[in-house]
């Protein structure tokens, strides 16, 4: 099945503690159905000190389920993603505007 959301897409969170926040996808794990979004689902992780880095508490974005994310169209609204054939290739498009993503 083709991926509806990819790295670099602008998304909005639909559910959870960060509902309504927007961000950009930094990585996607299709087998787990999760993605990491900049500034969303931040957790504090305790890092042990090493010779090269200072230890302490560091904020780190954690994965969020793909079902809780929606793509932003050119108007900044949440939209669903569809697929269509264009010049013999399968392309993604926004269902609200019909624009190719």
């Amino acid at each position: 099945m083709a991926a509806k959301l990819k790295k670099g897409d602008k998304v909005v969170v639909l559910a959870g503690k960060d509902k309504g926040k927007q961000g950009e996808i930094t990585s996607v794990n299709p087998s787990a159905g999760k993605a990491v979004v900049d500034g969303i689902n931040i957790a504090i992780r305790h890092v042990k000190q090493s010779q090269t880095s200072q230890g302490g508490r560091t904020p780190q974005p954690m994965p969020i389920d793909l079902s809780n994310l929606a793509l932003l169209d050119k108007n900044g609204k949440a939209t669903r993603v569809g697929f269509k054939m264009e010049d013999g290739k399968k392309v993604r498009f926004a269902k609200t505007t019909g624009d190719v993503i």
Side-chain angles (χ1 to χ4, degrees):
M1 185 177 199
K4 292 184 186 254
L5 298 174
K6 295 183 178 181
K7 181 179 176 180
D9 285 346
K10 302 279 186 195
V11 294
V12 63
V13 179
L14 300 176
K17 67 177 184 177
D18 294 321
K19 182 178 179 177
K21 290 186 181 177
Q22 299 176 3
E24 185 175 327
I25 295 179
T26 55
S27 68
V28 179
N29 184 353
S31 61
K34 294 184 180 279
V36 176
V37 182
D38 260 352
I40 306 295
N41 201 21
I42 300 294
I44 301 294
R45 291 287 166 238
H46 294 77
V47 180
K48 191 172 182 179
Q49 185 176 357
S50 67
Q51 282 186 329
T52 57
S53 66
Q54 181 70 29
R57 297 165 36 129
T58 58
Q60 181 180 3
M62 300 303 287
I64 187 169
D65 204 82
L66 289 174
S67 64
N68 294 333
L69 300 175
L71 189 70
L72 287 175
D73 61 4
K74 65 179 182 181
N75 302 327
K77 303 257 184 188
T79 182
R80 292 184 297 167
V81 178
F83 294 96
K84 63 182 176 182
M85 296 299 286
E86 201 169 88
D87 299 328
K89 291 189 175 184
K90 190 176 188 181
V91 294
R92 299 182 306 155
F93 74 98
K95 292 248 184 167
T96 55
T97 60
D99 293 337
V100 175
I101 301 166

